[in-house]
Structures are given as C-alpha cells and as structure tokens.
Amino acid sequence: MNDHQIQREPWHIRWYNYNKYSIPVIFTVIGTLIFTLFLDFRTGDVTFLSHISAINVLTNKVVGFYLFSIYMIALVQLANSIAFSKKRSPLSLITFSVLNALQVYLVYLYVNVFYTEVAIRTDGFVIPEFGYFSINIMITGAIFYIIATIFAWFYVDWKYVKIEE
C-alpha cells in the first residue's frame, strides 16, 4: 500500500460520526410511528383490529385516556427530539427525559388495565388477539423511547450556552 493513500473508515463509522446527534431523533421517530401507525381500520374486505377494538372490550374506560395521552405525548416528543438534536441543551434533555418517562409510565398503565381486567372479571374474560397485538405495539414503542432517551443522555452538551442572535 502506498503511504500517500488515505485509509477510509468503514461506512457505519462514518455514518455514526456524521449522524450521532440525530440518533435520539431516529429512535423517537420509529417509536412514534410504532405508536401511531397501528390504528384500527376497515376498508372493503380488510378489517384491522388493534387499539380501539382492544379498549372497547374492557370495562375500565380510563384506558381510553391512557391511549389518548400516549398518542399526544408521542406527537410532542417527535418535535421535542428534533429540537434536542439541534441544541443538545440540558434543559431540552430534562424535558425529553421527563416526557419519555411519563410515556413509559402511561404504557405500563395501559398494559396493566388489560391484565387487571382478566383478574377481576368474573365472566371468563380473556385478552383477545388484537388486545395482545395492541399491548405488544405499546411495549415496542416504549422500548424505542427508552433507547432514544439513553442516546440523548450520551449526546447532551453539558456546556451549552444559549447564544443570542
């Protein structure tokens, strides 16, 4: 090999070095898509049952509030993660982390309602397949949010100073 040739880094290292501050955004976008894409729908012969159908078989109606809150926080976190990737300020990190912790807690409450229903109902209630699908979707989205939070803590700029324009 010639001494004048430049060694190139592997593509994944170059990608990481270029995009590392966007990794929390990427995981948040994936988590938000997972939370929001799987709504119930019916078109012609195709019927897709998920969250709405799952909460309609429950007697505890507070689960609807949990689902609404999960969706709203997911949309807020999408914008919040983009703002964090631009500034990387400690205040943005704290806001991002608190909202993600609230999101994970709401997912826990959402899932817990299903298993509580099984335990307290005397009519032999079992969680339907679309209920398990909804639970798995929520847990998967929460996992992506946890990963996004971990990466955000790695990339925060602790010496961030707001510059007046």
Side-chain angles (χ1 to χ4, degrees), residues 140-154:
T140 304
I143 289 169
F144 276 98
Y145 271 42
I146 290 168
I147 294 169
T149 306
I150 291 168
F151 275 106
W153 277 88
F154 283 127

Side-chain angles (χ1 to χ4, degrees), residues 79-146:
N80 197 18
S81 68
I82 293 169
F84 172 77
S85 73
K86 301 255 186 265
K87 295 179 182 178
R88 297 181 301 129
S89 73
L91 182 60
S92 293
L93 173 70
I94 298 302
T95 305
F96 186 69
S97 298
V98 167
L99 284 175
N100 279 351
L102 179 61
Q103 183 79 319
V104 170
Y105 181 65
L106 285 168
V107 167
Y108 165 76
L109 292 174
Y110 179 85
V111 170
N112 192 43
V113 167
F114 285 92
Y115 292 106
T116 302
E117 283 280 319
V118 170
I120 64 170
R121 281 179 57 176
T122 58
D123 61 353
F125 174 76
V126 293
I127 300 171
E129 287 298 318
F130 52 85
Y132 282 116
F133 182 73
S134 177
I135 289 169
N136 290 334
I137 289 297
M138 291 299 174
I139 291 171
T140 304
I143 289 169
F144 276 98
Y145 271 42
I146 290 168

Side-chain angles (χ1 to χ4, degrees), residues 1-8:
M1 182 188 240
N2 191 348
D3 289 337
H4 298 289
Q5 286 182 333
I6 297 173
Q7 288 269 343
R8 290 190 76 185

Side-chain angles (χ1 to χ4, degrees), residues 14-29:
R14 279 183 298 151
W15 181 90
Y16 173 78
N17 288 332
Y18 184 74
N19 292 307
K20 64 183 171 185
Y21 301 122
S22 298
I23 291 175
V25 176
I26 293 167
F27 280 108
T28 302
V29 167

